[in-house]
Amino acid sequence: MRYAVIADIHANLAALTAVLEDIERKGDIDEIWCLGDIVGYGPDPAECIELVRRYRCVCIAGNHDRAAAGEIDTRYFNAHADAAIRWTSAHLTEKDTAYLANLPLTVEKGDFLLVHGSPMDNLFEYIIGKGIAERNFGFFQSRYCLVGHSHVPLAFKKGEEGCLPVSLSPGVGVVLGSARMILNPGGVGQPRDGDPRASYAVYDGDGHIFRLFRVEYDIEATQDRIMQAGLPVHLATRLKEGK
Ligand code: ZN
């Protein structure tokens, strides 16, 4: 079985469409796993929810999904994120709001735990360093954990002498063995590692290979939609910078 792993779509329809087309081109993906934040920041929340549902993605909740559904306070969001959440909430149907509110915080799929932030703090913690990764290995039982939230492709392996970062490069497969790992496929709709291309991964369950992919998409189309929607300009400009 082969699985595509997507995260942090952030209502960027052009990016999501490009990634789904790339997945379809590969042709033999059995299931898509989505690590949350379908909405927030971007201009097309309803369309992105519709696509995630149409592709029957296995999906968990992100902090922006819960905030847009009115389930969590946006007090800890920055001003741009907060403005986008208010805009998003006002542009969702009741059905979409209920969908976001009911997404589970975690899902187990085979050897993987799927969670947006971290096993310790499902919605808010960023696993961006060795120390945080190390601590989190004590908070899940499965061999591997897939996370989103930072919008940066990263992987950590639990070794005999502690936790080690594992580099993820586009097109290069990482073999998942007996060592426990935490992996982030990067962000579809708002990458933050300096590469503006949409990021996602494919896990080949037969060869146990996790492989990152980057996909070009029409950034200007999303920027135009952000401006038309009256969302903060910064949310448009950052897409081109990939941060
Ligand atoms: Zn996010």
Side-chain angles (χ1 to χ4, degrees), residues 41-206:
Y41 296 128
D44 291 300
E47 291 78 359
C48 289
I49 293 172
E50 150 74 15
L51 273 178
V52 165
R53 299 183 78 161
R54 196 190 311 156
Y55 278 78
R56 299 180 186 282
C57 301
V58 172
C59 194
I60 52 166
N63 52 323
H64 288 254
D65 302 321
R66 279 292 199 268
E71 299 285 311
I72 54 173
D73 199 325
T74 55
R75 203 179 333 165
Y76 305 108
F77 283 54
N78 67 48
H80 293 136
D82 186 26
I85 287 298
R86 286 165 204 267
W87 181 93
T88 303
S89 300
H91 287 81
L92 292 176
T93 62
E94 251 175 61
K95 193 175 149 211
D96 287 343
T97 303
Y99 173 76
L100 295 177
N102 288 310
L103 288 171
L105 289 175
T106 63
V107 165
E108 288 222 36
K109 294 291 292 182
D111 286 335
F112 293 87
L113 174 73
L114 280 55
V115 62
H116 182 66
S118 79
M120 261 173 76
D121 181 349
N122 299 167
L123 290 176
F124 294 104
E125 187 174 54
Y126 293 92
I127 300 188
I128 41 171
K130 273 198 309 188
I132 300 170
E134 172 101 61
R135 256 201 327 277
N136 269 283
F137 278 109
F139 286 80
F140 65 102
Q141 311 300 320
S142 55
R143 184 171 297 173
Y144 314 121
C145 177
L146 294 167
V147 301
H149 197 40
S150 71
H151 307 195
V152 175
L154 280 173
F156 297 94
K157 181 185 271 190
K158 180 116 175 78
E160 302 264 298
E161 294 101 44
C163 185
L164 296 167
V166 176
S167 82
L168 295 178
S169 306
V172 180
V174 173
V175 179
L176 307 194
S178 56
R180 301 183 72 214
M181 288 186 77
I182 296 173
L183 303 118
N184 187 325
V188 169
Q190 195 196 74
R192 292 181 189 162
D193 62 334
D195 181 343
R197 295 176 297 171
S199 187
Y200 81 102
V202 170
Y203 176 65
D204 180 340
D206 300 325

